[in-house]
């Protein structure tokens, strides 16, 4: 049995784990490490500190399937729709731009992280560990020695990296020296937008009376998107109040990128009051800085993966190797899996 470490419990990492479990059941021991306290990555769902049943999606909002991807990834869509993890978006969204004819938009009634949780559950037997921040990867014997912050290193036969590309480039140990000049240039050219997200949680009796479930804002320097998250997801729960998510514009995100969240949060709240003066006082607020939000320039030619060494295998994937959405992550995970399959 080969011991495979997947770094990152986001969508790409969780699909990689699921494909390995389903397609190579008796060949691998799967271990997933993530530096966060839970799964999801940029598809994370945050809970109110005062009422865990009140949730908000701070990152990805919808799953938008173009006719092409709906066809080539139909098995992924069918599986999630059959289990009610995905449901068609029916709530009104103001000023949503459609990049193409025939796009189907879906929401996740239980929060967008339910997609990632589904794939981790389907990786039955995989050891998934949080608070594991990988810092160094060294070649050792016929495999890899992987170190994480504040813990003992462990040995693996294969390592899969699925974090944003700048975080791959920050890894120490042998990763840097294994990269060819051309590979390094390609990785260094990858860029991401940055933005902030605010999650606002309300008490059960709070009412937010607006005719939309989400809207794109174009006349505010700070705010780009607002969703009444429970309404967007078509939820109606009596023991839980509404929740609102606010995304800032990218220029605002970049301007305030190096500031502390407690400095930026009041600025966003001040702008929100201008856009929605009728909003009641929230019960609690969560502020998230997305330093690596969506890929603005991916690895040239979108290869889906990059193999840094074949023997022992060290391979990178994630939306930086395709594009930033559900289908981009599936595409990357499938490419990573092809490499794993031919090496295991
Ligand atoms: C604000 C926002 C809005 C978006 N809107 C949409 C949308 O509407 N629809 C859509 O389809 N997509 C959307 N996206 C994009 C989508 O969320 C991403 O494309 C997708 O989640 C990327 O998944 P991933 O697994 O490749 O990377 P990630 O989700 O970033 O997962 C990587 C994981 O690696 C972990 N990690 C990083 N470094 C280390 C380390 N050193 N050691 C251990 N673990 C580490 C991280 O904690 C993270 O969990 C949005 C993203 C953002 C931020």
């Amino acid at each position: 049995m080969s011991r495979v470490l997947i770094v990152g419990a986001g969508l790409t990492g969780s699909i990689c784990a699921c494909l390995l479990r389903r397609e190579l059941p008796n060949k691998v021991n799967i271990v997933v490490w993530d530096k966060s306290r839970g799964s999801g990555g940029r598809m994370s769902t945050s809970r109110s500190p005062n009422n865990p049943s009140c949730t908000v999606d701070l990152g990805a909002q919808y799953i938008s399937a173009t006719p092409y991807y709906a066809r080539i990834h139909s098995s992924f869509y069918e599986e999630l729709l059959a289990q009610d993890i995905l449901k068609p978006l029916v709530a009104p969204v103001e000023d949503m731009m459609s990049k193409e004819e025939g796009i189907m938009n879906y929401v996740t009634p239980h929060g967008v992280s339910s997609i990632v949780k589904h794939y981790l559950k389907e990786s039955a037997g995989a050891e998934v560990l949080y608070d594991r921040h990988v810092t160094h990867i060294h070649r050792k014997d016929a495999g890899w020695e992987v170190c994480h912050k504040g813990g003992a290193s462990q040995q693996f036969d294969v390592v899969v990296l699925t974090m944003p590309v700048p975080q791959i480039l920050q890894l120490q140990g042998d990763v840097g020296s294994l990269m060819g000049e051309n590979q390094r240039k390609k990785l260094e050219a990858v860029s991401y937008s940055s933005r902030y997200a605010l999650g606002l949680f309300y008490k059960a009796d709070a009412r937010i009376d607006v005719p939309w479930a989400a809207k794109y804002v174009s006349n505010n320097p700070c705010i780009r998107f607002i969703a009444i998250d429970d309404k967007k997801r078509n939820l109606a729960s009596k023991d839980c109040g509404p929740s609102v998510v606010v995304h800032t514009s990218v220029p605002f995100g970049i301007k305030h990128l190096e500031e502390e969240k407690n400095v930026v949060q009041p600025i966003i709240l001040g702008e929100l009051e201008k856009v929605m003066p009728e909003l009641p006082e929230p019960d609690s607020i969560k502020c998230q800085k997305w330093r690596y939000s969506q890929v603005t320039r991916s690895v040239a030619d979108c290869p889906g993966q990059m193999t840094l060494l074949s023997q022992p295998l060290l391979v990178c994937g994630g939306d930086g190797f395709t594009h930033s959405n559900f289908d981009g992550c599936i595409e990357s995970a499938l490419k990573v899996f092809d490499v794993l399959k031919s090496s295991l």
Side-chain angles (χ1 to χ4, degrees), residues 61-62 89 91-96 210-217 225-229 231-232 245:
Q61 298 292 308
Y62 324 97
L89 166 71
V93 179
E94 274 187 11
D95 297 324
M96 189 182 206
V210 288
W212 42 266
K215 80 178 207 171
Y216 289 84
V217 179
F225 174 82
I226 307 172
I228 317 300
D229 207 51
K231 196 166 162 186
K232 178 199 81 189
V245 61

Side-chain angles (χ1 to χ4, degrees), residues 225-239:
F225 174 82
I226 307 172
I228 317 300
D229 207 51
D230 51 307
K231 196 166 162 186
K232 178 199 81 189
R233 291 192 266 138
N234 225 6
L235 283 183
S237 165
K238 287 209 170 66
D239 58 331

Side-chain angles (χ1 to χ4, degrees), residues 7-8 10-12 33-36 40-43 59-62 132-134 162-164 167 195 247 290 293-294 318-319 324-326 329:
V7 184
L11 185 59
T12 308
W33 283 0
D34 199 291
K35 69 181 171 114
S36 304
R42 281 170 281 156
M43 291 202 170
Q61 298 292 308
Y62 324 97
R132 287 281 192 287
H133 187 150
V134 173
T162 69
M163 59 272 238
Q167 292 174 325
R195 60 174 93 233
H247 283 171
W290 294 116
S293 180
Q294 284 124 305
D319 62 354
S324 270
N325 65 17
F326 179 66
C329 294

Side-chain angles (χ1 to χ4, degrees), residues 84-319:
D84 291 338
I85 293 168
L86 288 188
K87 292 258 194 188
L89 166 71
V90 290
V93 179
E94 274 187 11
D95 297 324
M96 189 182 206
M97 279 183 300
S98 195
K99 291 187 190 128
E100 201 184 315
E101 283 280 298
I103 292 181
M104 265 302 290
N105 292 302
Y106 298 101
V107 287
T108 46
H110 303 290
V112 73
S113 70
S114 61
I115 302 178
V116 175
K117 289 196 169 89
H118 168 76
Y119 290 117
L120 290 176
K121 193 171 123 233
E122 289 297 307
S123 323
E127 184 185 18
V128 185
L129 296 171
Y130 300 108
D131 283 319
R132 287 281 192 287
H133 187 150
V134 173
T135 55
H136 296 68
I137 302 181
H138 299 282
R139 244 186 111 165
K140 188 152 183 218
D141 305 325
W144 300 103
E145 182 182 63
V146 183
C147 311
H148 64 91
K149 262 187 196 164
S153 61
Q154 288 196 27
Q155 311 287 321
F156 296 93
D157 299 301
V158 170
V159 175
V160 180
L161 303 173
T162 69
M163 59 272 238
V165 170
Q167 292 174 325
I168 295 177
L169 288 165
Q170 282 161 21
L171 289 172
Q172 294 171 47
D174 293 333
V175 178
S177 58
L178 286 170
M179 270 172 212
E181 186 63 14
N182 196 26
Q183 284 183 321
R184 177 182 296 282
K185 274 198 187 136
K186 282 186 172 177
L187 294 181
E188 284 174 349
V190 176
S191 59
Y192 292 75
S193 58
S194 303
R195 60 174 93 233
Y196 283 84
L198 273 196
L200 309 169
F201 303 99
Y202 293 85
K203 288 223 162 78
D205 57 357
R207 293 283 163 270
I208 301 173
D209 289 320
V210 288
W212 42 266
K215 80 178 207 171
Y216 289 84
V217 179
S218 53
N219 56 356
N220 184 280
C222 164
I223 294 174
R224 177 67 187 116
F225 174 82
I226 307 172
I228 317 300
D229 207 51
D230 51 307
K231 196 166 162 186
K232 178 199 81 189
R233 291 192 266 138
N234 225 6
L235 283 183
S237 165
K238 287 209 170 66
D239 58 331
C240 171
S243 59
V244 170
V245 61
V246 179
H247 283 171
T248 72
S249 66
V250 172
F252 178 91
I254 292 169
K255 185 173 166 203
H256 297 274
L257 191 58
E258 303 309 334
E259 289 168 32
E260 296 296 328
K261 285 193 281 187
N262 60 4
V263 174
V264 181
Q265 179 174 313
I267 306 175
I268 306 172
L269 286 172
E271 292 298 327
L272 182 61
E273 204 180 337
K274 290 182 199 161
V275 180
M276 291 188 74
E278 70 281 18
L279 261 187
E281 204 46 41
D283 185 35
S284 61
I285 302 175
K286 167 114 199 233
C287 183
Q288 170 79 41
K289 184 192 287 191
W290 294 116
R291 182 176 290 275
Y292 306 113
S293 180
Q294 284 124 305
V295 177
T296 48
R297 196 188 310 118
S298 51
V299 172
D301 305 325
C302 298
Q305 61 81 30
M306 185 183 278
T307 302
L308 299 184
L309 194 70
S310 327
Q311 208 46 262
L313 182 60
L314 176 61
V315 57
C316 313
D319 62 354

